[in-house]
Amino acid sequence: MRKPYVQRQRADWWLRNPAYRRYMLREATALPLLFYTLLLMSGLYQFTRGEAAFLGWLELLRNPWLLALHGVALAAALFHAVTWIALVPKILVIDTDRLRVSPTVVKRLHQVGAVVCNVGLLLLVLLLVGGGR
Amino acid sequence: MTETVTVRVQRYRPEEDQEPWAQSFEVPYSEDLSILDALNQIKDQQDPTLSHRWSCRMAICGSCGVMINGEPRLACKTFLRDYRGKDALEVRALDNFPIERDLVSDISGFIDHLETVQPWLIRSDEQPVSAGAYRQTPEQMQRYAAFSQCINCGLCYAACPQFGRDPAFLGPAALTLAQRYNLDSRDEGASQRMNWLNAEAGVWSCTFVGYCSQVCPKDVDPAAAINQGKVASDINYAVNLFNILRGKDDA
Ligand code: SF4
Ligand code: FES
């Protein structure tokens, strides 16, 4: 007589193995980014309500708790970017009869691209702020 | 006095048990004893009713997969010495599969998934046998070589929380096999397999947990294969969309 025992996935499966905990940590980096997005959107909303409202929002940003949360969001974004770029060569394999790019080069190009984009964006913002003065 | 090790072995006897339970056995310790040797020792000398699967004893047949202290491993490729000094040594049937009896899992769902992706050379027209073998260069073979090392042990399925959540997910080894044939220069079946890659149970059910690649005893790297499948699926989507927009029939 067959009577297979069906194993159900437990709700706490992700707590039971260090590999799953690391995975969940990486997924959880979305949460600080959600916070950051909501904060930016609230800023935009205050902007539509006039100067006083917007200045109030800017003032709010100086709150040490919010600053700390910004730090967390930045760390989460960096962690996500670094671990993601480390995985890219596994996914983006350029190896045909005509063109071959080594995995290390694929990774380096992504790293350089990320740095260039971020520094570029930062410079652009600084330039705009400087020009607005 | 010889040193012994306590091994907690999961038991499930469908005739009498409602759910699995653990039974402890004492096994004489030796440096070169594998977990499989220990299980065989228990079965031969202590309890002949213990059921477990094995054949090759050398990490080739893929039949001895079990959970050892919570990790999916081949019993023949894991040794008592690795657990010396640890509090416990616990052997269970593979996670995510129904348990048939003791350490024996029902892997039929996994085998069906392997078949689903049509893991053989598909040709639009077969060349006659007299024309000889389909040839390919060593470089062409290298592109899929790692993905062809799979021994169908199912460890990656025991490691995959997405398969645990939904057994319909084709899962690591099957999707890797699809990618293995799609990358083979002799194969012309990629468009047929694309239906399975694109499906709900295909590559997009993977969230890149990546534990499958960690536990694979053959360094197949199924997580890489699946995510390369996502790139292929994206390209396929874009090409189909382009064709539809141009008024051509979709592929
Ligand atoms: S991919 Fe690796 S872990 Fe998965 S069935 Fe094949 S050999 Fe086993
Ligand atoms: S007995 Fe064959 S893989 Fe372990």
Side-chain angles (χ1 to χ4, degrees):
Chain A
M1 180 200 69
R2 283 192 63 195
K3 192 181 85 187
Y5 178 81
V6 176
Q7 311 192 70
R8 301 240 170 271
Q9 189 174 56
R10 300 169 46 139
D12 63 348
W13 64 267
W14 58 278
L15 284 170
R16 294 157 62 81
N17 187 309
Y20 296 152
R21 290 198 289 272
R22 268 196 301 277
Y23 161 73
M24 281 308 229
L25 178 69
R26 195 163 181 285
E27 295 289 290
T29 56
L31 296 175
L33 292 185
L34 174 70
F35 144 77
Y36 190 65
T37 317
L38 291 176
L39 189 75
L40 277 187
M41 274 164 44
S42 75
L44 204 62
Y45 174 64
Q46 298 303 339
F47 188 71
T48 62
R49 295 180 59 212
E51 186 172 349
F54 187 62
L55 286 178
W57 180 78
L58 284 181
E59 194 52 39
L60 179 79
L61 289 188
R62 292 185 205 278
N63 180 309
W65 285 103
L66 273 188
L67 281 177
L69 270 172
H70 273 83
V72 173
L74 179 66
L78 281 176
F79 174 70
H80 194 102
V82 168
T83 49
W84 175 250
I85 290 176
L87 291 172
V88 166
K90 279 175 174 251
I91 304 164
L92 192 67
V93 179
I94 306 176
D95 182 1
T96 63
D97 289 338
R98 273 193 246 138
L99 181 67
R100 222 197 96 80
V101 184
S102 91
T104 330
V105 172
V106 170
K107 186 159 110 187
R108 289 276 174 272
L109 283 176
H110 274 81
Q111 288 169 335
V112 170
V115 170
V116 166
C117 288
N118 280 290
V119 171
L121 206 61
L122 197 65
L123 285 180
L124 189 72
V125 169
L126 288 178
L127 212 74
L128 287 177
V129 170
R133 287 250 162 85
Chain B
M1 212 189 85
T2 49
E3 180 186 349
T4 63
V5 180
T6 310
V7 189
R8 278 167 66 81
V9 183
Q10 184 186 52
R11 302 299 307 267
Y12 173 68
R13 301 158 304 173
E15 298 82 6
E16 34 203 313
D17 299 331
Q18 289 315 309
E19 53 185 42
W21 52 284
Q23 185 175 11
S24 291
F25 296 97
E26 294 294 318
V27 182
Y29 176 83
S30 110
E31 187 68 4
D32 55 2
L33 210 70
S34 68
I35 305 291
L36 178 61
D37 294 331
L39 293 173
N40 283 337
Q41 208 265 6
I42 293 169
K43 186 173 173 76
D44 290 347
Q45 295 170 27
Q46 303 187 43
D47 187 344
T49 67
L50 176 68
S51 296
H52 63 291
R53 279 203 185 109
W54 60 284
S55 173
C56 71
R57 289 171 285 122
M58 46 194 272
I60 286 297
C61 72
S63 42
C64 67
V66 283
M67 306 297 291
I68 302 177
N69 282 8
E71 293 173 22
R73 302 190 67 104
L74 294 180
C76 69
K77 205 177 176 242
T78 308
F79 291 84
L80 281 188
R81 59 173 182 264
D82 301 331
Y83 297 87
R84 208 175 183 188
K86 296 247 168 75
D87 304 341
L89 174 52
E90 192 196 38
V91 184
R92 291 190 288 110
L94 285 180
D95 273 350
N96 301 338
F97 292 105
I99 304 173
E100 193 69 43
R101 173 185 297 272
D102 296 340
L103 301 176
V104 176
S105 305
D106 174 9
I107 58 165
S108 47
F110 161 48
I111 303 295
D112 288 345
H113 288 342
L114 289 176
E115 264 182 46
T116 299
V117 301
Q118 299 170 277
W120 49 79
L121 287 186
I122 299 174
R123 303 281 302 187
S124 43
D125 53 333
E126 300 271 347
Q127 83 190 16
V129 175
S130 58
Y134 299 116
R135 294 167 68 86
Q136 75 185 164
T137 65
E139 290 77 30
Q140 287 171 329
M141 196 187 106
Q142 217 42 50
R143 285 181 198 137
Y144 66 84
F147 297 157
S148 70
Q149 298 303 305
C150 173
I151 58 172
N152 302 344
C153 62
L155 297 194
C156 49
Y157 285 72
C160 176
Q162 296 299 349
F163 180 71
R165 196 181 58 85
D166 177 15
F169 174 41
L170 288 175
L175 292 168
T176 302
L177 208 51
Q179 185 68 5
R180 174 247 172 277
Y181 280 94
N182 286 348
L183 288 176
D184 192 322
S185 58
R186 301 164 299 176
D187 181 83
E188 294 166 348
S191 61
Q192 290 180 42
R193 290 186 201 100
M194 206 42 87
N195 295 331
W196 295 109
L197 257 61
N198 291 341
E200 176 77 23
V203 288
W204 297 104
S205 278
C206 165
T207 52
F208 216 156
V209 179
Y211 191 40
C212 53
S213 291
Q214 273 182 47
V215 303
C216 174
K218 292 287 159 187
D219 293 329
V220 170
D221 205 348
I226 298 177
N227 287 280
Q228 288 172 29
K230 287 181 190 168
V231 177
S233 173
D234 275 335
I235 294 174
N236 176 258
Y237 179 82
V239 169
N240 284 347
L241 192 67
F242 185 69
N243 283 339
I244 290 171
L245 291 180
R246 281 176 62 218
K248 285 200 185 160
D249 199 20
D250 71 289

